[in-house]
Amino acid sequence: MDISAQIKDDLISRIKNSDNLDFLRTLQTLFDASEQSLFSLSNQQKDSIEEGREQIRNGRFHTNESVLSEMKEWLSKK
């Protein structure tokens, strides 16, 4: 049995054996929240994300290494 199945079996057993209403309500809240979208984005935010993805597709971006190198160079001149 893989680890995922073991965890599921353990959780199911613990939930079935629990009479703690606060605990069960908390679990219900967690399950409800995990089924909902965690982030709600505005149309402007969605457009900005798409613009960024388009820039990446077209090679218009800087690597982390190049930015760090540029910043180190700039800081050494201060």
Side-chain angles (χ1 to χ4, degrees):
M1 184 183 306
D2 70 357
I3 190 72
S4 178
Q6 289 174 347
I7 291 171
K8 288 177 184 179
D9 287 345
D10 181 54
L11 289 171
I12 290 167
S13 175
R14 291 168 74 181
I15 291 168
K16 282 183 178 180
N17 293 325
S18 178
D19 291 325
N20 183 331
L21 192 55
D22 289 334
F23 170 71
L24 295 172
R25 283 184 177 147
T26 300
L27 284 176
Q28 183 66 50
T29 300
L30 286 171
F31 281 118
D32 290 347
S34 71
E35 293 169 356
Q36 298 173 3
S37 175
L38 294 179
F39 300 101
S40 180
L41 301 175
S42 69
N43 287 336
Q44 182 180 5
Q45 290 169 319
K46 290 176 186 177
D47 291 343
S48 293
I49 291 169
E50 184 52 40
E51 180 181 345
R53 288 179 174 160
E54 183 68 26
Q55 289 172 346
I56 291 168
R57 283 191 289 272
N58 292 323
R60 295 189 324 261
F61 64 92
H62 298 278
T63 65
N64 189 52
E65 291 79 16
S66 70
V67 171
L68 289 175
S69 177
E70 188 177 320
M71 293 303 296
K72 285 178 184 178
E73 182 181 335
W74 179 79
L75 287 171
S76 70
K77 294 178 182 179
K78 292 284 174 183

